[in-house]
Amino acid sequence: MELEKQVCSLESSKRLKELGVPQKSLFKWRLATDDKWYIERDSDIQGTTQPHCAAFTCSELGEILIEKTYCDWWLAKRGEGWILGKNKEDGIYGDTEVEARAECLIYHIENGFVKAGQPEGEAQDMVITNGTDKPVKLVREVKRAGD
């Protein structure tokens, strides 16, 4: 399977970054000198000044969604794409499973169900507010070998 189908799209990655999601991922989208975006390992672009954003994998987004949205998810292949939702009638669609997960996280942040951001002194955490300004809990991001 192509790497582009295993990580969220460039558009979703940029939006998640704009929304304040911590950019800790195994892969990154990086803007190269030829003005094209490429997927590279995070470790290969450490210290670069070129624009980049996290290219989250399906499992990374799954961890974020499970920890941060407090609900059980229904996930199924639907036609040529995927649907992710609380039931079979309502859901968020994506061309790939990873894109459905990215769009679901974007929806939750944009609608105030989850507040993305990093509290001071806790660079590896996200603040979860469940739609309020008062933090409900802090959730650790997944640590990878070598971090």
Side-chain angles (χ1 to χ4, degrees), residues 26-125:
L26 181 60
F27 297 101
K28 300 277 196 239
W29 283 100
R30 181 183 62 85
L31 181 61
T33 55
D34 64 359
D35 289 329
K36 293 182 182 175
W37 288 85
Y38 296 94
I39 300 171
E40 298 181 10
R41 291 183 58 87
D42 177 59
S43 58
D44 293 340
I45 65 168
Q46 292 294 322
T48 185
T49 58
Q50 295 171 304
H52 59 278
C53 54
F56 295 105
T57 64
C58 199
S59 60
E60 290 168 337
L61 288 169
E63 287 289 325
I64 293 170
L65 285 168
I66 289 169
E67 292 291 330
K68 294 167 179 51
T69 58
Y70 304 114
C71 65
D72 294 325
W73 291 100
W74 180 82
L75 174 70
K77 183 89 168 124
R78 178 70 57 91
E80 294 296 314
W82 289 81
I83 182 172
L84 179 65
K86 295 181 182 180
N87 57 56
K88 294 180 182 182
E89 291 76 37
D90 279 331
I92 295 173
Y93 293 87
D95 292 338
T96 60
E97 180 181 352
V98 68
E99 195 59 22
R101 290 176 187 234
E103 290 299 322
C104 188
L105 182 56
I106 290 167
Y107 171 84
H108 276 79
I109 295 170
E110 288 180 339
N111 289 284
F113 301 119
V114 173
K115 181 179 179 185
Q118 297 176 343
E120 288 184 34
E122 300 290 337
Q124 299 301 314
D125 291 339

